[in-house]
Amino acid sequence: MMRETTVGKAKGVLKNFLIEPFVPHKQEEEFYVCIYAGREGDWLLFHHEGGVDVGDVDAKAQKLLVAVDDKLTEETVTQQLLAHAPENRKQVLANFIVGLFNLYEDLYFTYLEINPLVVTSAGVYVLDMAAKIDVTADFLCKAKWGDVEFPPPFGRDAYPEEAYIADLDAKSGASLKLTILNPRGRIWTMVAGGGASVVYSDTICDLGGVDELANYGEYSGAPSEQQTYDYAKTILSLMTREKHPEGKVLIIGGSIANFTNVAATFKGIVRAIKDYQEPLQEHEVSIFVRRGGPNYQEGLRVMGEVGKTTGIPIYVFGTETHMTAIVGMALGQRPIPKEPPADAHTANFLLNTSSSAATPASSRTASFSEPKTAADATPAKKLKPGVPPAKATTLFSQHTKALVWGMQTRAVQGMLDFDYVCSRDAPSVAAMVYPFTGDHKQKFYWGHKEILLPVYKNMADAVRKHPEVDVLISFASLRSAYDSTMETLNFPQIQTIAIIAEGIPEALTRRLIKKADEKGVTIIGPATVGGIKPGCFKIGNTGGMLDNILASKLYRPGSVAYVSRSGGMSNELNNIISRTTDGVYEGVAIGGDRYPGSTFMDHVQRYQDTPEVKMIVVLGEIGGLEEYRIGQGVAEGRITKPVVCWCIGTCATMFSSEVQFGHAGACANQAAETAVAKNQSLREAGVFVPKSFDELGDVIRTVYDDLVASGVIVPAKEVPPPTVPMDYSWARELGLIRKPASFMTSICDERGQELIYAGMPITEVFKEEMGLGGVLGLLWFQRRLPRYACQFIEMCLMVTADHGPAVSGAHNTIVCARAGKDLVSSLTSGLLTIGDRFGGALDAAAKQFSGAFDSGLLAMEFVNKMKKDGKLIMGIGHRVKSINNPDMRVQILKDFVKQHFPATQLLDYALEVEKITTSKKPNLILNVDGFIGVAFVDLLRTCGGFTRDEADEFVEIGALNGIFVLGRSMGFIGHYLDQKRLKQGLYRHPWDDISYVLPEHMTM
């Protein structure tokens, strides 16, 4: 214990031991039980000889498949699993196994192995158990699981930075992952995308960098600038703790994003690089960047600029460079181009110069090398009774209509822009479904013309009103995707469903697959970006924005069809295929979960049956056995078209400890599931398999050139696509246009990660304990006021909060509340009474007293002048209080002001006026409104934060009355709540309190 031990390839320290009571038993009382999940259901393995010498249980054990949604019975267990078990133990074992299976299902286990299971006459004992639960089921099982900790695998320590990133990931809709492999390593990565992160790790290991690879991780799903900053600074902090004699490299890579704003995420990385400028230089860090996607040109420009300004070597590349080429550059095995080739396109969308609103003429709608076929869809086949309906070979055509579940306006607009540039006659989106609002219309653009699409509250209405729809694109959350998809499967007209959500529990996904197979429905996903059929249809954000659609020639079909797990890598395939062949005919990302709704072979078989497809590309990955079916299909002659395939995740066999990659399904549970074994098997079956991902494009080009040379593919003449206007919001994002703002604000900014009051982040407001007075100073006066000034503001709010139910404002509030009006209406009724006669004397008093004082009038002269002009002195006089019965509110404020204010010239002047007025009548005192008004002028003039002009401006624009309005609102709300709590009925004023004075002739 506490010594380094080697287990397999992993070296580590054994720190935890389980000590259990000894259970006396015989060898023949030991049994082996295992349950594990598969696509079709759950497998049960039982062997009548358990213990450490059980051997190869896969070969020896009795096996039973419990299909999805089937129930397990003791009779079935006894017949199919317990044939060799002792007769006197069969009933106990059958009962236990059924109970264990029910527990397994109820708690969403994916694997549960007991060895040995001991059954004696005294009872049943679990002596050793290994289990895995589906972490995505946390929202369903949290109450049953309790707080579950997931320790790192043996041989790798748990780092606080990993926990920090995991916490960020849990709080974000984006995906943030970090695994530290070797904190002393010199090769660090910061990769966007689950699939791309695996490819970069593969390439580093292929080029001999496995021992120096410091981390595995990925960020994806459009993280915010702040989240990317937090992620990047964690990486930079880790890599600048220990120096390496050869310096260090940071690879900031990624595939071509579908919807993530690359420039926005790069801003966060740039901030982190600037913060760590000195440590990065000290540790001789070189940075290599390769990225594509929305606004990537601006992101690369900013990244290049920070390299120039900081002096850190930063090499920047875009989509013109192969995705993993920067790895060879970083490891010194590939020359670094001095002038990276300029890309053939920019982020600018083409602008339509035509004044016509009609859809442009079609450029090409059939395969790039074939004339258009007469029919778009596969004809329906007659079914035999009891046989599940066959799934369609053609999922999408130029006439496909879809429903979109979720208020994903950006994705829908992207689909419509794609439709337009593909010369479709009409939009592919028929309607949207959004259960959180009523039925309404949503505005979109068709070219440069505005159109309206209906939005329905429930699916049934949408399907009934749009019988032409046969595709559903579901953006439902992981919590609601299962229920909404199950509902959709009840509508026979829906033939294809794309589920975008990531994190649906595996058990629920398997139920969806079973029902879809029974209905003959094709499911793409979950955890996918979707798919695309150039010239016809695209799912949601697939293919990225229009600039990438144009660059990858996705507006017209080519001759190559592909299938991938990763959404980001599918966009990279679009780029690779467009540069090495005549383009993509169709591409599908089946999703990164362990059980995708449709498999690689489902789509490869469709492509085999599609005449326009001349070659097939597959990007497989570690985990599962599905790729072997492709090899079998090729070897048996069922797949006759050339297939190019590469399985990512080859690095996994080089790591000493287990690493969970970005996709849930990217984990090998047996040797056959490794990427290395799959690639070898595919190569032996006759599939074209490159030596690495680096060579994938070269192999695709070679196979394509051979097809062209043999006449199978005849490249057609390129036709320019129609032009599409750019959205205003995106043009502004790219800095192409400017527009005068409708509003200007200088007090608050909510756009960033943190709310800002007058330049101060909200966290600083609380850290400095500024209080309500300090916040009011920031929002009203754009100043950080002295502590005494903040306290004075809070005191003013406290003393003006209420003055009983009899005053006009409170009275109005009470009458409204008793009339059944709501809080806002009642409060407004009270506030509308505030004016010169009630509560609004603060501004008037401040103006009158400061005007007289500034003009040099003596107190007596001021009083006489106001009397001569027939004007009341605002802030003087009280209905109840007098010089003999002073207002304690004024006394409290006066004591504070005299003690803390630097000077009180205007207050002293007002008190001189009070001496004169009270000598005439004792209730003509300086009341609380007047006091606050003159004291606030003293505050503004003497606290050091304002010029004289600024102080006078705040008085002029009515800032001081705001104190009374804000303070008295608290009292009015109190009166409203009081009346509701007391359940007071409608108020009617009593007759005896009204003097009815009518004209005499009306009383006769």
Side-chain angles (χ1 to χ4, degrees):
M1 188 171 180
M2 301 309 291
R3 293 182 181 179
E4 187 173 80
T5 307
T6 301
V7 179
K9 293 182 180 179
K11 292 182 178 181
V13 178
L14 294 172
K15 302 175 182 177
N16 300 301
F17 289 83
L18 296 176
I19 301 176
E20 301 175 347
F22 175 69
V23 179
H25 65 278
K26 302 173 184 177
Q27 176 62 42
E28 58 266 24
E29 294 175 325
E30 291 189 353
F31 305 95
Y32 175 90
V33 178
C34 179
I35 312 172
Y36 65 89
R39 184 179 179 86
E40 296 79 18
D42 296 290
W43 286 93
L44 275 82
L45 275 66
F46 176 84
H47 192 51
H48 61 284
E49 296 174 346
V52 292
D53 298 322
V54 68
D56 185 1
V57 290
D58 284 328
K60 295 163 62 175
Q62 301 293 113
K63 295 183 181 180
L64 170 63
L65 174 64
V66 182
V68 174
D69 285 338
D70 281 4
K71 294 298 180 185
L72 182 66
T73 65
E74 292 185 23
E75 182 181 1
T76 304
V77 170
T78 303
Q79 290 176 355
Q80 300 194 34
L81 293 181
L82 304 182
H84 303 295
E87 199 65 35
N88 63 339
R89 298 286 186 247
K90 285 186 177 181
Q91 184 176 352
V92 173
L93 282 168
N95 181 268
F96 177 81
I97 290 173
V98 170
L100 184 68
F101 184 79
N102 291 337
L103 178 77
Y104 168 94
E105 284 193 318
D106 185 51
L107 296 184
Y108 284 77
F109 281 89
T110 60
Y111 181 86
L112 199 162
E113 181 186 51
I114 300 175
N115 184 34
L117 173 70
V118 171
V119 181
T120 69
S121 57
V124 180
Y125 304 92
V126 177
L127 294 196
D128 193 10
M129 185 180 81
K132 294 181 180 181
I133 56 175
D134 184 356
V135 69
T136 61
D138 182 70
F139 72 97
L140 296 171
C141 297
K142 180 69 174 176
K144 298 176 183 177
W145 287 352
D147 294 323
V148 180
E149 291 186 13
F150 297 93
F154 177 75
R156 199 173 71 234
D157 291 328
Y159 292 89
E161 290 81 6
E162 292 175 335
Y164 172 70
I165 296 301
D167 185 57
L168 286 180
D169 179 66
K171 297 175 181 176
S172 166
S175 175
L176 302 166
K177 303 287 188 295
L178 175 64
T179 299
I180 300 171
L181 303 172
N182 175 13
R184 296 181 178 85
R186 66 179 294 263
I187 306 169
W188 292 78
T189 64
M190 196 184 306
V191 179
S197 62
V198 180
V199 172
Y200 276 96
S201 296
D202 284 350
T203 308
I204 291 168
C205 294
D206 288 341
L207 297 180
V210 62
D211 293 331
E212 291 290 352
L213 180 58
N215 72 303
Y216 167 78
E218 61 105 359
Y219 66 95
S220 58
S224 67
E225 177 185 334
Q226 183 64 38
Q227 289 164 345
T228 314
Y229 168 75
D230 292 336
Y231 186 82
K233 74 176 184 181
T234 303
I235 300 290
L236 298 183
S237 170
L238 285 164
M239 72 180 298
T240 54
R241 292 179 185 176
E242 294 187 34
K243 289 187 177 181
H244 195 284
E246 299 178 41
K248 296 186 178 181
V249 294
L250 173 62
I251 296 172
I252 302 176
S255 56
I256 301 173
N258 288 289
F259 55 90
T260 298
N261 186 330
V262 175
T265 57
F266 272 17
K267 285 179 184 177
I269 298 175
V270 164
R271 278 175 53 199
I273 291 174
K274 289 179 178 178
D275 288 351
Y276 280 83
Q277 177 180 345
E278 291 184 7
L280 289 171
Q281 291 173 328
E282 183 182 343
H283 287 74
E284 301 180 54
V285 175
S286 298
I287 300 176
F288 292 80
V289 182
R290 191 274 186 183
R291 195 73 164 104
N295 207 8
Y296 82 92
Q297 294 91 342
E298 176 63 14
L300 297 181
R301 185 194 67 78
V302 171
M303 195 68 77
E305 285 297 319
V306 78
K308 295 176 183 177
T309 56
T310 61
I312 299 169
I314 299 181
Y315 305 94
V316 177
F317 304 90
T319 56
E320 77 290 335
T321 302
H322 186 70
M323 191 179 92
T324 53
I326 59 171
V327 177
M329 299 176 199
L331 301 188
Q333 300 185 23
R334 183 189 290 239
I336 303 173
K338 293 183 180 180
E339 289 287 333
D343 213 341
H345 71 290
T346 70
N348 301 354
F349 293 2
L350 301 173
L351 300 177
N352 196 346
T353 56
S354 168
S355 59
S356 171
T359 305
S362 175
S363 57
R364 185 187 293 107
T365 54
S367 171
F368 197 60
S369 61
E370 294 285 336
K372 184 176 180 180
T373 55
D376 283 316
T378 304
K381 299 177 181 178
K382 293 184 178 180
L383 301 177
K384 296 180 181 179
V387 177
K391 296 182 180 181
T393 297
T394 302
L395 301 183
F396 315 114
S397 73
Q398 267 230 329
H399 308 294
T400 295
K401 289 283 190 174
L403 292 176
V404 175
W405 201 106
M407 191 53 68
Q408 291 287 328
T409 55
R410 179 178 171 184
V412 171
Q413 185 60 64
M415 291 177 67
L416 300 189
D417 287 341
F418 176 81
D419 297 340
Y420 189 85
V421 82
C422 291
S423 305
R424 278 184 60 124
D425 295 330
S428 61
V429 180
M432 302 170 70
V433 179
Y434 191 61
F436 306 106
T437 61
D439 292 0
H440 65 282
K441 303 281 188 180
Q442 191 75 24
K443 185 174 71 174
F444 292 96
Y445 286 97
W446 178 248
H448 60 270
K449 183 177 72 173
E450 289 184 314
I451 62 172
L452 295 174
L453 291 182
V455 181
Y456 299 98
K457 184 175 178 64
N458 64 72
M459 179 68 68
D461 287 344
V463 172
R464 186 180 70 255
K465 294 181 180 179
H466 298 277
E468 75 280 11
V469 164
D470 63 355
V471 174
L472 171 73
I473 301 170
S474 174
F475 285 94
S477 71
L478 63 93
R479 290 171 175 79
S480 59
Y482 172 75
D483 291 331
S484 59
T485 305
M486 277 296 200
E487 178 191 9
T488 305
L489 287 169
N490 292 322
F491 301 106
Q493 72 188 63
I494 303 297
Q495 293 299 303
T496 306
I497 300 176
I499 305 173
I500 310 302
E502 179 180 359
I504 300 174
E506 292 176 3
L508 300 184
T509 301
R510 292 187 304 168
R511 292 179 192 168
L512 290 177
I513 294 170
K514 181 180 180 181
K515 187 168 183 178
D517 288 344
E518 292 170 353
K519 301 280 187 178
V521 175
T522 299
I523 291 183
I524 298 173
T528 182
V529 71
I532 190 166
K533 188 170 184 181
C536 293
F537 183 83
K538 83 162 186 153
I539 297 172
N541 295 302
T542 309
M545 297 191 67
L546 202 56
D547 59 327
N548 190 65
I549 299 291
L550 299 175
S552 297
K553 300 182 177 63
L554 298 175
Y555 51 84
R556 51 78 172 159
S559 304
V560 184
Y562 71 80
V563 58
S564 160
R565 273 188 172 272
S566 166
M569 289 306 299
S570 70
N571 215 7
E572 193 63 42
L573 288 177
N574 291 330
N575 180 49
I576 293 172
I577 292 171
S578 72
R579 293 174 184 273
T580 56
T581 72
D582 64 357
V584 175
Y585 178 81
E586 183 179 333
V588 172
I590 62 174
D593 282 358
R594 189 160 185 83
Y595 306 115
S598 52
T599 65
F600 284 127
M601 193 57 181
D602 290 336
H603 296 285
V604 169
Q605 191 64 60
R606 286 197 307 108
Y607 299 153
Q608 171 67 26
D609 296 338
T610 303
E612 294 84 2
V613 175
K614 305 304 180 184
M615 63 178 285
I616 301 167
V617 175
V618 179
L619 189 65
E621 67 177 36
I622 181 176
L625 302 170
E626 183 61 31
E627 290 86 349
Y628 289 102
R629 293 181 58 199
I630 300 173
Q632 291 170 2
V634 172
E636 294 170 4
R638 289 182 288 114
I639 307 298
T640 58
K641 295 177 181 179
V643 178
V644 178
C645 183
W646 175 251
C647 297
I648 66 175
T650 54
C651 61
T653 54
M654 303 184 194
F655 294 150
S656 60
S657 60
E658 181 182 329
V659 175
Q660 175 60 59
F661 295 115
H663 292 160
C667 180
N669 294 321
Q670 53 182 303
E673 294 190 23
T674 63
V676 172
K678 292 181 185 182
N679 286 330
Q680 181 61 30
S681 176
L682 289 165
R683 190 178 288 113
E684 292 171 355
V687 175
F688 293 92
V689 179
K691 294 179 181 178
S692 68
F693 182 81
D694 252 359
E695 297 182 5
L696 179 62
D698 296 335
V699 174
I700 292 173
R701 185 191 302 275
T702 299
V703 174
Y704 172 78
D705 288 346
D706 288 344
L707 292 173
V708 172
S710 62
V712 175
I713 295 176
V714 180
K717 182 181 178 182
E718 192 67 62
V719 178
T723 58
V724 179
M726 183 187 293
D727 281 348
Y728 165 78
S729 58
W730 190 243
R732 185 180 59 184
E733 177 77 25
L734 296 174
L736 299 177
I737 58 173
R738 61 186 181 188
K739 167 188 173 293
S742 302
F743 287 96
M744 294 179 67
T745 182
S746 59
I747 63 168
C748 184
D749 190 345
E750 81 288 3
R751 295 171 298 173
Q753 184 73 10
E754 189 173 352
L755 182 65
I756 294 177
Y757 289 164
M760 177 174 281
I762 191 68
T763 52
E764 290 296 318
V765 172
F766 282 94
K767 189 181 296 182
E768 298 292 330
E769 298 182 352
M770 296 182 66
L772 184 59
V775 170
L776 192 146
L778 292 173
L779 294 180
W780 287 17
F781 305 112
Q782 296 180 300
R783 301 288 192 282
R784 182 171 180 178
L785 299 177
R787 183 61 191 154
Y788 71 84
C790 298
Q791 289 178 295
F792 176 69
I793 291 173
E794 292 174 3
M795 291 176 69
C796 291
L797 295 176
M798 292 164 68
V799 300
T800 59
D802 196 42
H803 203 233
V807 297
S808 57
H811 181 82
N812 268 24
T813 300
I814 291 170
V815 171
C816 259
R818 292 179 62 170
K821 303 297 285 185
D822 60 277
L823 172 62
V824 174
S825 301
S826 302
L827 174 61
T828 303
S829 174
L831 291 176
L832 287 174
T833 65
I834 296 177
D836 289 345
R837 294 188 178 185
F838 169 64
L842 277 74
D843 281 332
K847 292 175 184 177
Q848 286 185 356
F849 280 104
S850 60
F853 177 79
D854 293 342
S855 64
L857 290 176
L858 298 175
M860 181 61 77
E861 293 174 328
F862 171 54
V863 173
N864 292 339
K865 182 176 183 303
M866 295 299 288
K867 183 177 181 180
K868 182 179 179 181
D869 293 344
K871 297 179 179 178
L872 296 173
I873 301 175
M874 294 292 104
I876 292 291
H878 199 285
R879 185 177 295 275
V880 178
K881 300 297 181 179
S882 67
I883 194 71
N884 301 314
N885 179 26
D887 188 339
M888 291 308 299
R889 298 177 299 171
V890 175
Q891 191 61 46
I892 292 169
L893 293 173
K894 187 191 298 183
D895 292 342
F896 181 87
V897 168
K898 286 294 185 180
Q899 181 180 350
H900 294 92
F901 280 25
T904 57
Q905 290 179 313
L906 193 60
L907 174 58
D908 294 339
Y909 183 78
L911 293 175
E912 287 298 318
V913 171
E914 182 188 48
K915 290 178 182 179
I916 298 170
T917 56
T918 52
S919 66
K920 298 180 179 181
K921 200 172 182 181
N923 70 326
L924 296 179
I925 58 172
L926 181 65
N927 59 37
V928 70
D929 295 351
F931 182 92
I932 293 174
V934 297
F936 229 103
V937 174
D938 279 332
L939 175 66
L940 294 173
R941 290 183 177 183
T942 63
C943 73
F946 305 90
T947 64
R948 177 62 177 271
D949 289 342
E950 287 173 336
D952 292 345
E953 182 182 25
F954 278 116
V955 173
E956 189 64 34
I957 62 179
L960 305 190
N961 267 358
I963 295 292
F964 184 85
V965 171
L966 181 58
R968 192 51 59 91
S969 291
M970 293 189 286
F972 290 168
I973 292 173
H975 285 296
Y976 169 85
L977 297 175
D978 186 50
Q979 295 301 307
K980 294 294 185 181
R981 186 170 51 248
L982 296 173
K983 296 180 173 53
Q984 294 295 288
L986 180 66
Y987 175 79
R988 181 182 176 89
H989 205 71
W991 288 342
D992 58 6
D993 194 36
I994 302 172
S995 179
Y996 293 90
V997 183
L998 302 179
E1000 289 187 8
H1001 71 276
M1002 294 294 291
T1003 60
M1004 293 175 62

